[in-house]
Amino acid sequence: MGYVRDQIKVIKERDPAIKSSIEVLLYPSFYALLFHRWGHWFYKKKRFFIARLISQIARGLTGIEIHPGATIGKGLFIDHGMGVVIGETCEIGDNVTIYHGVTLGGTGKDHGKRHPTIGNNVMISTGAKVLGPFKVGDNSRIAANAVVLQEIPEDSTVVGIPGKVVRIQGKRVNPCNDLDQVKIPDPVKLEICKLKETIAMLEQQLQTIEGKLGLEVSTIPQVMDESSEIYVSEQFNERINQTEFIRQPGQHQCHNSDCNTKEICKSYQSAEKK
């Protein structure tokens, strides 16, 4: 009964969809963790076949695959749960929340510790993959579909492929009490913003140097073949004029430097016939 009371408390705290305590019996997480308790007991007694049999039965019933060798702390909640995989040497701390499609797995066939260690108060969002024998620090949050391949410090948010750490205003947070999988920084946008700032700074420095040297460098792009889609520098245009290359059908291909037509002129047509 102690397990049932704990699960009622955990699920009510973290899933706003639950309306009554009896609904806990409809959650796959409830049965997956219950079966894991039995399987883990047999695993510690080295009754490996029975332990794996129990875990496979639970997998078929719930869609959640937890190896009986995994060590799980108090207050784990697996929301929805379909497609969750937890490896043999995985260690999960207290008050952890895991959403469907999450994999806590290894990266090879090595023996010994090969799965991650998840700290306390960690939230792992939908579709995230945590692969390898490292630790995810306490109070951290892993965003949806992130792929984490290295150790994560405490109080961090991890996003992207591969996962990148983004601090949340330098404050310690408990992500399990703030189940927001949407308002998470985008590391790609952050990098683009940094690049834009760097380019703007370099352009300003270049203008300063040009002003001191009294240089006038034209920044107006040159147009090749009067196309509105292709812009090149004057130097590049000169280089193209000195280089033999294949042109598209209908473009000027005459070798007469005095010919200014944009069509295939008679000189080129006669040379082509020869």
Side-chain angles (χ1 to χ4, degrees):
M1 290 299 294
Y3 170 76
V4 176
R5 286 195 298 268
D6 291 342
Q7 285 297 298
I8 291 174
K9 179 180 179 182
V10 167
I11 294 174
K12 278 190 169 182
E13 285 178 352
R14 302 185 206 169
D15 188 1
I18 189 171
K19 301 298 188 295
S20 62
S21 299
I22 194 65
E23 289 183 42
V24 170
L25 301 178
L26 302 177
Y27 279 74
S29 173
F30 176 84
Y31 297 102
L33 296 177
L34 179 62
F35 274 75
H36 175 72
R37 289 162 63 95
W38 297 336
H40 189 63
W41 186 87
F42 282 105
Y43 185 88
K44 290 192 295 183
K45 299 293 184 180
K46 297 186 178 181
R47 305 290 297 274
F48 300 124
F49 178 81
I50 297 178
R52 288 299 299 272
L53 178 62
I54 293 173
S55 71
Q56 290 301 301
I57 293 173
R59 176 180 180 272
L61 292 174
T62 65
I64 300 172
E65 182 173 346
I66 307 176
H67 194 284
T71 303
I72 297 177
K74 298 179 180 179
L76 172 64
F77 175 48
I78 305 175
D79 198 4
H80 299 291
M82 183 62 68
V84 169
V85 177
I86 299 176
E88 178 184 16
T89 61
C90 185
E91 301 175 46
I92 300 177
D94 298 335
N95 303 317
V96 173
T97 302
I98 297 176
Y99 288 85
H100 58 279
V102 168
T103 299
L104 305 180
T107 56
K109 297 182 180 179
D110 297 334
H111 296 281
K113 176 68 172 173
R114 59 189 186 279
H115 299 96
T117 297
I118 309 300
N120 301 323
N121 305 315
V122 172
M123 186 186 76
I124 307 177
S125 299
T126 304
K129 316 300 178 189
V130 186
L131 308 175
F134 53 83
K135 182 176 181 180
V136 176
D138 296 346
N139 307 310
S140 293
R141 175 165 51 182
I142 298 176
N145 295 318
V147 178
V148 184
L149 302 174
Q150 59 186 1
E151 186 161 336
I152 304 303
E154 296 181 358
D155 308 298
S156 299
T157 298
V158 182
V159 299
I161 303 173
K164 297 181 181 180
V165 175
V166 180
R167 294 277 183 180
I168 306 176
Q169 300 179 352
K171 297 180 180 179
R172 296 178 62 86
V173 296
N174 184 348
C176 288
N177 292 336
D178 182 17
L179 303 181
D180 188 353
Q181 302 183 65
V182 179
K183 297 178 181 179
I184 295 176
D186 185 342
V188 176
K189 288 185 178 180
L190 292 176
E191 293 298 327
I192 292 175
C193 288
K194 290 179 182 179
L195 288 174
K196 287 182 177 179
E197 292 177 357
T198 302
I199 292 172
M201 179 186 66
L202 292 174
E203 288 179 344
Q204 186 176 4
Q205 292 178 355
L206 181 60
Q207 291 177 0
T208 303
I209 294 172
E210 290 173 354
K212 290 182 180 180
L213 296 176
L215 299 177
E216 293 183 3
V217 180
S218 176
T219 58
I220 300 176
Q222 301 295 322
V223 182
M224 182 177 71
D225 291 341
E226 298 181 353
S227 170
S228 61
E229 298 179 356
I230 305 175
Y231 294 91
V232 297
S233 66
E234 184 177 355
Q235 294 80 2
F236 179 78
N237 206 8
E238 291 177 358
R239 181 63 177 166
I240 289 297
N241 291 333
Q242 299 172 3
T243 305
E244 293 289 341
F245 66 98
I246 301 174
R247 295 177 179 267
Q248 297 295 323
Q251 286 188 310
H252 178 53
Q253 300 184 37
C254 181
H255 296 288
N256 184 359
S257 60
D258 296 330
C259 181
N260 295 319
T261 180
K262 293 296 178 182
E263 303 297 331
I264 299 179
C265 66
K266 295 180 180 179
S267 298
Y268 178 77
Q269 289 177 346
S270 59
E272 188 180 40
K273 291 178 181 179
K274 294 180 181 180

